[in-house]
Amino acid sequence: MRSPSARRRGIAALGLAAAVLVAPLAAGATAAEPAPQERGTAPTAGAVFRIEDRAARTVAASLADRGWRATVREAALTTDAVNLSALADRSGDHRAARRLEPALDRAEAALTEAKGLDGGHGPLLRLRLADDAMRDALAAGTAPLVTTPPSDDDASSVTAYDSRGRAVELDLRTPPERPVYVLDTDASRALAAGLDVLREELAAHGLSGAVRTGSAQGREAQAAQAGFWSTRITSVRLSDDKEPWVKGDSEIYSLVTGFGHDGKVRVDPVDMPYLDEDGRTYYPDQILVNWSYYKYNLADAVMMEEDGGTNYRELAKALTTALLTITDQGMYIPLVNALLDAMPDDWWTDDPDYVDSWYTLARQDSGSLTGAAGNGRMTVEPYFVDQF
């Protein structure tokens, strides 16, 4: 992956080219346990990594207990992702499990705070076997290591811990033969909860659909009264989802932007939970753009990846601060650069990961569209949604 600065320069150059093109159209041992993030601070991807890393050391130390280690091993071999909190709660006969429970509770609270989530989303921490090729060694009783994904996409190695608290460096390019547990944030659950927060915060500032001005709501309702035109994704494929072996499946979402009927920039988050792997074509028949929301027949889409460190309230704050300054000038202008520039530089080290962008999607677009970064390709079609 290119460095954050190089990547952003490339995006800026693409945006300038898109703006030039669209102008004519517009004119036309037990380790230390994690403490919750201090309220009022601005967490970064590093805050989530530190919480996960400390929890990983604590979990590794707990595996010195043979009985508890066997319980965890059985769970890891029979399920893709282990809810450690629930497993520890059911395993109260193991002293190590009883000692681990409060540490996991504190880590969960810290993660919720660091990611800017509301309560009620369920457990975020999960434990999984890093690679299926490690199953035989784990089943044979080989002592596992415990690690967490790195906070930097450019990292070449990751630190894992054994039950004695010793650190072991692992090459990110090749999975080790020794079994490795990955303790990380359930990105699917975090993304679903985070997009709810993002929609709520954007709506509160008039940048999304839940709360709009009365006149804007009226025009949107009128536009959709007898149904509405949409852009539907019939197939999508990514060349590179940016994931080393330790991170597992990706979690992809898109931010669709354009000008609403009130002349304000509008942002609509679209979850794409099926888009797990690069090099594979998916056929979701998913609506990407609801054109009844937008004043113009043009919009932009930015595809991002949830890598674990996103604070969704901070993301919403950054977006609203930047996008509220942009007003409708009677012509459509691309909004991709404004959206990406709103994200602090340190977020680009790992989270949120930029995947690709599609400038000036038109309502009549049909066929295969390659993203500006050349990493994603979507086949789209106009699709009319009837109102029943």
Side-chain angles (χ1 to χ4, degrees), residues 177-225:
E177 294 182 2
R178 183 174 180 178
V180 178
Y181 290 142
V182 178
L183 184 73
D184 64 358
T185 301
D186 185 334
S188 178
R189 176 168 289 176
L191 179 59
L195 291 185
D196 286 343
V197 169
L198 187 58
R199 292 185 186 100
E200 173 191 326
E201 293 292 321
L202 291 171
H205 291 86
L207 295 178
S208 190
V211 179
R212 305 283 284 182
T213 63
S215 58
Q217 278 186 332
R219 284 192 288 272
E220 289 173 7
Q222 184 178 10
Q225 186 172 9

Side-chain angles (χ1 to χ4, degrees), residues 272-294:
M272 308 177 84
Y274 52 87
L275 198 50
D276 292 332
E277 302 174 9
D278 57 5
R280 176 181 172 185
T281 301
Y282 294 83
Y283 303 91
D285 285 338
Q286 181 183 28
I287 290 177
L288 179 66
V289 187
N290 178 340
W291 291 105
S292 70
Y293 292 159
Y294 297 97

Side-chain angles (χ1 to χ4, degrees), residues 75-106:
L77 289 172
T78 55
T79 184
D80 290 335
V82 179
N83 179 345
L84 267 184
S85 295
L87 185 64
D89 184 57
R90 296 194 304 267
S91 306
D93 52 329
H94 298 301
R95 181 181 298 179
R98 293 198 302 270
R99 289 178 175 175
L100 185 61
E101 278 191 88
L104 293 175
D105 290 343
R106 285 189 286 273

Side-chain angles (χ1 to χ4, degrees), residues 58-78 82 84 87-88 91 93-98 100 127 129 137-146 161-166 178-181:
T58 304
V59 170
S62 76
L63 297 179
D65 182 304
R66 291 185 180 181
W68 169 239
R69 184 168 70 244
T71 298
V72 174
R73 178 175 64 242
E74 181 180 358
L77 289 172
T78 55
V82 179
L84 267 184
L87 185 64
S91 306
D93 52 329
H94 298 301
R95 181 181 298 179
R98 293 198 302 270
L100 185 61
L127 186 83
L129 190 60
L138 182 65
T142 303
L145 300 169
V146 183
Y161 303 99
D162 65 15
S163 61
R164 295 184 180 181
R166 294 175 297 193
R178 183 174 180 178
V180 178
Y181 290 142

Side-chain angles (χ1 to χ4, degrees), residues 22-28 296 298 330-332:
V22 79
L25 295 173
Y296 299 106
L298 295 170
M331 58 180 288
Y332 185 79

Side-chain angles (χ1 to χ4, degrees), residues 12-24:
L14 291 167
L16 178 60
V20 172
L21 289 171
V22 79

